[in-house]
């Protein structure tokens, strides 16, 4: 007997029979883990060429960063007197320390690339067009958050590479008129990068920015799920591959003649 | 076909063939806009991509160690002084233009432009051929940005002078 056909299983999964497509849809709909997904998508979304799966890749990299980052947090104290020594300890004494640090570093670099590439792919797909404009805006914020997370994490090893990269990066803020100087001082916590900067970047990196990131990501995914079946339900929204063509699927009525201009 | 010679098809006796349409109607050819269930069609693909990405990162982690230089020293400025690679384009711009332009106006315009893009581009067409202006503008920006990043990352050495990356390497990850 399968678990989901028992009394306990029924109480958890709610939909024990998975015989027809309707049963499976009902099971999907009542599953907590699957609720971030739509029940159905358009067939074209399955192809590699549609999205290059860059959104999934970014999300998986974020998960890898959270897991490896939490592991590193156990062994790291954000203070100029201890930080560098902790890095050496992580690399030499902590079990799998060097490996986990490598995974964290390469995941972070890759995530900047996949998020930026995801954005480019969405552009060429035209997938930011109405009614999806706002999800594109959230995507821009997610890209900025990715860069900020990467940049704040860059300082934490407290080696020459970290120190001077952050000195160069934060000095750019000085050029912003009126608020630039004070913005830099709030970020750095003084005239130059030091103990105050390290603790500020650490809190931003492990607490504040990840929380904001996850909040934005949830809205991003929720919006995607809501819009996943749009083409079928609202053929007038102009998102299909033939939108703008005369009589094409997804073309708003009478839009064929206006389709050529910008 | 004679009555004395019944053929067998898949274990059934074939009594006759009727010309015309199948009783159930034509087999439907699946179209790109048709809906398919996420489980299993999309989830299986996502699982494969997820495992592939994870494996790729784990293998990178086995093969290459993350850099760790000497301990931070505020009194010893390295030459060249490099920002992380994703800011290399900005740093490269800073070496050519006034800081107000390269450090404030350009990045500000890029962010505002990106946010405003769907509200500026009101052309409903999705195919690149029907939205040439948007595609050309975006592609030019992308190419320039990638080139600037590459130059700032790999082609700049001491005092931000030009170097060939195969002669001396100054890129840091």
């Amino acid at each position: 007997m399968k678990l989901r056909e028992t009394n306990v299983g029924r109480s958890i999964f709610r939909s024990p029979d998975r015989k027809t497509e309707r049963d499976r849809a009902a099971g999907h709909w009542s599953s907590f883990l699957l609720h971030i997904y739509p029940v159905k998508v358009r067939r074209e979304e399955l192809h590699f060429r549609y999205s290059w799966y860059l959104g999934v890749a970014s999300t998986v990299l974020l998960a890898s960063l959270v897991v490896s980052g939490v592991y590193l947090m156990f062994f790291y104290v954000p203070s100029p007197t201890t930080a560098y020594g902790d890095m050496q300890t992580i690399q030499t004494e902590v079990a799998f320390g060097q490996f986990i640090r490598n995974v964290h570093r390469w995941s972070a670099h890759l995530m900047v690339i996949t998020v930026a590439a995801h954005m480019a792919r969405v552009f060429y797909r035209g997938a930011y067009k109405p009614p999806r404009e706002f999800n594109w805006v959230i995507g821009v914020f997610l890209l900025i958050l990715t860069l900020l997370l990467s940049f704040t994490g860059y300082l934490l090893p407290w080696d020459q590479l970290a120190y001077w990269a952050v000195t160069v990066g934060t000095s750019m803020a000085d050029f912003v008129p009126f608020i630039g100087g004070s913005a830099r001082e709030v970020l750095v916590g003084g005239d130059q990068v030091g103990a105050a900067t390290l603790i500020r970047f650490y809190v931003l990196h492990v607490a504040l920015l990840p929380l904001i990131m996850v909040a934005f990501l949830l809205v991003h995914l929720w919006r995607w799920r809501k819009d996943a079946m749009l083409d079928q339900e609202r053929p007038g929204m102009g998102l299909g591959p033939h939108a703008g063509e005369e009589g094409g699927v997804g073309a708003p009525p009478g839009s064929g003649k206006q389709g050529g201009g910008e | 076909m004679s009555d004395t010679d019944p053929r067998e098809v898949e274990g059934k006796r074939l009594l006759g063939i009727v010309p015309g349409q199948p009783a159930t109607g034509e087999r439907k050819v699946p179209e790109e806009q048709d809906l398919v269930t996420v489980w299993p069609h999309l989830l299986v693909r996502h699982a494969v991509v997820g495992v592939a990405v994870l494996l790729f990162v784990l293998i990178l982690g086995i093969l290459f160690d993350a850099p760790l230089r000497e301990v931070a020293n505020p009194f010893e400025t390295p030459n060249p002084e490099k920002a992380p690679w994703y800011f290399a384009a900005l740093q490269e711009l800073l070496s050519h233009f006034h800081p107000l332009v390269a450090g404030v106006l350009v990045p500000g315009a890029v962010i505002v432009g990106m946010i405003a893009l769907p509200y500026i581009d009101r052309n409903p067409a999705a195919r690149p051929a029907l939205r040439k202006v948007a595609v050309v503008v975006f592609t030019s920006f992308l190419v320039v940005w990638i080139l600037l990043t590459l130059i700032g990352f790999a082609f700049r050495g001491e005092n931000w002078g030009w170097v060939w990356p195969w002669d001396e390497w100054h890129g840091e990850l």
Side-chain angles (χ1 to χ4, degrees):
Chain A
M1 194 177 206
K2 286 179 179 169
L3 170 67
R4 66 169 185 258
E5 286 164 2
T6 65
N7 277 343
V8 176
R10 261 172 216 275
S11 74
I12 299 172
F13 298 108
R14 294 284 178 92
S15 178
D17 303 316
R18 305 278 168 88
K19 297 203 172 68
T20 65
E21 192 165 275
R22 195 173 177 282
D23 295 336
R24 269 190 279 137
H28 182 126
W29 191 242
S30 58
S31 158
F32 174 75
L33 288 179
L34 291 182
H35 90 285
I36 59 168
Y37 277 96
V39 175
K40 291 186 175 187
V41 290
R42 283 171 291 121
R43 179 177 291 274
E44 65 172 351
E45 272 198 51
L46 299 178
H47 305 310
F48 178 79
R49 65 167 185 272
Y50 181 83
S51 63
W52 295 3
Y53 293 116
L54 288 163
V56 191
S58 309
T59 314
V60 169
L61 287 171
L62 177 63
S64 136
L65 282 160
V66 170
V67 173
S68 56
V70 167
Y71 187 75
L72 293 172
M73 275 175 77
F74 282 116
F75 310 105
Y76 177 84
V77 177
S79 144
T81 48
T82 55
Y84 188 76
D86 288 344
M87 295 305 294
Q88 289 174 318
T89 311
I90 285 171
Q91 297 196 162
T92 51
E93 287 171 38
V94 172
F96 300 108
Q98 174 81 64
F99 172 66
I100 298 289
R101 183 179 171 227
N102 297 346
V103 168
H104 196 75
R105 186 99 174 180
W106 304 139
S107 295
H109 284 323
L110 268 180
M111 190 175 159
V112 174
I113 296 172
T114 55
V115 170
H118 179 46
M119 195 149 233
R121 186 69 199 120
V122 166
F123 172 84
Y124 286 113
R125 191 74 229 160
Y128 58 87
K129 305 220 165 196
R132 290 177 174 149
E133 306 101 309
F134 190 59
N135 218 14
W136 165 274
V137 174
I138 293 172
V140 175
F141 283 112
L142 282 170
L143 174 65
I144 296 170
L145 282 166
T146 306
L147 291 175
L148 287 178
L149 269 163
S150 190
F151 184 62
T152 48
Y154 213 88
L155 179 67
L156 304 187
W158 204 250
D159 61 346
Q160 279 290 74
L161 188 57
Y163 188 89
W164 290 101
V166 168
T167 301
V168 174
T170 49
S171 68
M172 287 186 195
D174 266 336
F175 303 124
V176 181
F178 309 119
I179 57 159
S182 32
R184 199 190 82 94
E185 235 166 78
V186 169
L187 197 62
V188 174
D191 288 339
Q192 63 169 11
V193 176
T197 323
L198 186 53
I199 188 66
R200 276 164 207 225
F201 272 46
Y202 179 77
V203 172
L204 286 173
H205 186 73
V206 305
L208 193 57
L209 291 174
L211 281 175
I212 300 174
M213 175 83 136
V214 168
F216 272 78
L217 181 61
L218 289 180
V219 178
H220 197 62
L221 292 176
W222 175 80
R223 193 67 264 170
W224 165 72
R225 181 188 67 169
K226 292 277 179 183
D227 293 348
M229 299 191 285
L230 217 58
D231 236 0
Q232 283 272 316
E233 288 183 337
R234 303 167 76 178
M237 303 314 283
L239 283 166
H242 307 292
E245 286 172 59
E246 193 110 35
V249 177
S255 72
K257 291 183 187 75
Q258 314 149 12
E262 275 295 328
Chain B
M1 187 183 293
S2 77
D3 287 338
T4 56
D5 181 26
R7 303 273 177 90
E8 291 231 337
V9 177
E10 289 175 1
K12 303 283 195 308
R13 209 147 54 97
L14 182 68
L15 295 175
I17 295 172
V18 181
Q21 305 293 322
T24 52
E26 288 294 329
R27 179 185 285 258
K28 190 178 182 308
V29 181
E31 295 205 18
E32 291 295 278
Q33 299 300 313
D34 286 346
L35 293 177
V36 293
T37 46
V38 162
W39 168 255
H41 300 287
L42 188 65
L43 278 178
V44 164
R45 286 165 171 86
H46 278 190
V48 170
V49 173
V51 169
V53 170
L54 207 55
L55 268 181
F56 181 66
V57 174
L58 295 183
I59 290 170
L60 276 183
I62 292 169
L63 292 182
F64 304 103
D65 281 348
L68 187 68
R69 305 270 177 270
E70 316 81 70
V71 65
N73 182 356
F75 306 105
E76 195 191 318
T77 312
N79 191 359
E81 226 183 321
K82 288 212 175 187
W85 66 268
Y86 36 83
F87 292 144
L90 280 180
Q91 213 184 349
E92 177 63 24
L93 278 176
L94 270 172
S95 70
H96 295 286
F97 298 101
H98 187 271
L100 191 62
V101 176
V104 181
L105 292 182
V106 171
V110 169
I111 291 172
V112 171
M114 291 281 252
I115 289 173
L117 169 71
Y119 304 100
I120 298 169
D121 173 19
R122 299 308 284 183
N123 173 8
R127 288 197 327 169
L130 297 174
R131 42 196 282 258
K132 291 199 181 91
V133 176
V135 167
V136 167
V137 169
F138 187 82
T139 307
S140 325
F141 165 74
L142 209 60
V143 168
V144 168
W145 201 259
I146 290 172
L147 276 180
L148 286 174
T149 303
L150 267 181
I151 292 172
F153 175 68
F155 290 82
R156 291 299 180 178
E158 278 177 27
N159 304 316
W160 211 251
W162 186 270
V163 294
W164 297 106
W166 46 90
D167 290 338
E168 41 179 313
W169 181 253
H170 293 281
E172 301 272 18
L173 283 172

